[in-house]
Amino acid sequence: MSLEASELILNSDGSIYHLNLLPEDLAETVIVVGDPDRVGMVSKYFDLVQVKKGKREFITHTGILNGKRVSVVSTGIGSDNIDIVFNELDALVNIDLKTRTIKQQHKALDIVRIGTSGGIQPDIAVDSFLLSQSGVGFDGLLHFYDGKKDENQTLCEALTKHLKWHGKNIVPYVFDNSAVLAKKLISNRIRFGVTVTNAGFYGPQGRQLRLNPSLLDFHEKLLGFRMGELQITNLEMETAAIYGLAKLLGHHAVSMNAILANRATGEFSKDPTKTVDALIQYCLERLT
């Protein structure tokens, strides 16, 4: 069945609507970054850049590094943008854009988020690297998709019971990373953790400027959660959505976090650009 023009939206040149990409523009290994300026921070290490395209906050560079083709795509901030980027990345490899039909043979992408985050446990050092084992979403995005069978329901139920935030209309979802892809990125330099994704940077992450928060126990509840050896380690705005959509769409995803702040100690990185650049180099070395 052909997908309607209102559902699969294409540009006049046949490229996917927001990303402005044709299928041949995308590599099977994809790095996603939030900041469009960070795309160049990644692609400067390529041996050859073959594609440079962009539209709005979505910038893509595709090139070759150590004989491997790699794309880096900026998502902008937030899980709403992740919804756009991941559905369109999937469409580029699993939908025939000319016939508007879903391909019979599925293709799985390897997708690595290189992003920044704030630690909430006092022992998580600023400027360290953290690999998210699971992503906990408070943003609500994955509730719009049918995917309960792919969710980490054990962790989700334990966290829901611990938080007791039902009256605030906050219903978490939890998805895990790709163990296969994570193996490529593991070393003794990497810490593991459970990452919380929320729909904003201030109130939704427990920050208070002029507006009073509705959750007075936000950090205390997250800090106090334990399920075996698992604990909540950090906060950001994309990981849970990335893990959820990757699982549902059949792709491999891992979120790599440069810890620039520690909310428990009040510290912030003295050189965040250096830390992010070090994580970029680490990931590229491991992936290629």
Side-chain angles (χ1 to χ4, degrees):
M1 183 180 69
S2 179
L3 295 165
E4 298 290 348
S6 61
E7 309 307 298
L8 174 64
I9 305 173
L10 303 177
N11 297 311
S12 58
D13 64 351
S15 61
I16 198 74
Y17 184 61
H18 294 92
L19 297 186
N20 198 34
L21 296 176
L22 296 165
E24 58 265 29
D25 295 329
L26 187 70
E28 293 185 26
T29 297
V30 182
I31 293 169
V32 292
V33 296
D35 185 352
D37 289 339
R38 203 172 292 154
V39 173
M41 290 179 64
V42 177
S43 67
K44 72 180 182 182
Y45 291 110
F46 292 177
D47 299 320
L48 172 67
V49 177
Q50 301 168 312
V51 176
K52 285 188 176 183
K53 288 189 175 182
K55 184 179 179 182
R56 301 183 186 181
E57 63 265 55
F58 308 113
I59 307 298
T60 299
H61 292 178
T62 296
I64 305 294
L65 178 60
N66 298 328
K68 186 181 182 71
R69 197 163 187 250
V70 180
S71 291
V72 53
V73 181
S74 63
T75 64
I77 296 175
S79 59
D80 53 343
N81 279 16
I82 296 300
D83 183 61
I84 292 170
V85 171
F86 271 61
N87 276 288
E88 293 195 1
L89 289 176
D90 178 75
L92 287 168
V93 295
N94 289 312
I95 296 176
D96 186 321
L97 301 187
K98 293 180 179 178
T99 64
R100 296 178 172 274
T101 56
I102 297 172
K103 295 178 180 178
Q104 291 187 347
Q105 187 170 353
H106 176 269
K107 180 180 286 187
L109 298 169
D110 285 344
I111 306 173
V112 176
R113 170 190 178 266
I114 298 178
T116 59
S117 185
I120 66 168
Q121 300 292 342
D123 64 332
I124 297 178
V126 168
D127 299 318
S128 63
F129 301 157
L130 186 144
L131 189 158
S132 304
Q133 293 171 287
S134 303
V136 176
F138 292 145
D139 58 296
L141 174 64
L142 266 292
H143 297 315
F144 289 90
Y145 293 96
D146 180 13
K148 277 290 182 183
K149 64 181 177 61
D150 297 299
E151 188 176 4
N152 185 333
Q153 295 183 35
T154 302
L155 178 53
C156 188
E157 289 168 6
L159 183 60
T160 300
K161 182 178 180 180
H162 169 79
L163 294 175
K164 299 178 181 178
W165 287 347
H166 309 285
K168 300 295 183 180
N169 296 317
I170 299 173
V171 181
Y173 62 86
V174 183
F175 287 85
D176 299 331
N177 69 21
S178 163
V180 173
L181 183 55
K183 286 181 180 179
K184 297 181 180 180
L185 295 158
I186 292 172
S187 76
N188 57 11
R189 189 175 182 181
I190 302 299
R191 174 158 181 166
F192 303 99
V194 176
T195 300
V196 163
T197 295
N198 216 340
F201 184 77
Y202 289 96
Q205 291 190 35
R207 289 183 173 90
Q208 183 176 351
L209 299 182
R210 289 204 320 113
L211 294 177
N212 293 324
S214 66
L215 290 171
L216 301 178
D217 59 352
F218 182 78
H219 282 127
E220 290 77 8
K221 282 285 191 180
L222 294 181
L223 278 166
F225 174 74
R226 296 289 187 279
M227 192 182 83
E229 296 183 357
L230 292 179
Q231 61 180 182
I232 304 297
T233 51
N234 59 309
L235 301 169
E236 50 73 87
M237 296 175 64
E238 291 92 27
T239 293
I242 287 171
Y243 283 2
L245 291 175
K247 286 283 186 186
L248 269 57
L249 292 166
H251 301 295
H252 302 288
V254 171
S255 177
M256 300 293 289
N257 302 269
I259 302 298
L260 298 187
N262 187 297
R263 304 292 299 284
T265 65
E267 295 176 89
F268 191 82
S269 173
K270 292 181 173 58
D271 195 344
T273 301
K274 181 180 178 181
T275 300
V276 172
D277 185 65
L279 181 57
I280 288 169
Q281 292 185 64
Y282 176 90
C283 291
L284 288 175
E285 181 182 347
R286 292 275 164 169
L287 291 170
T288 63

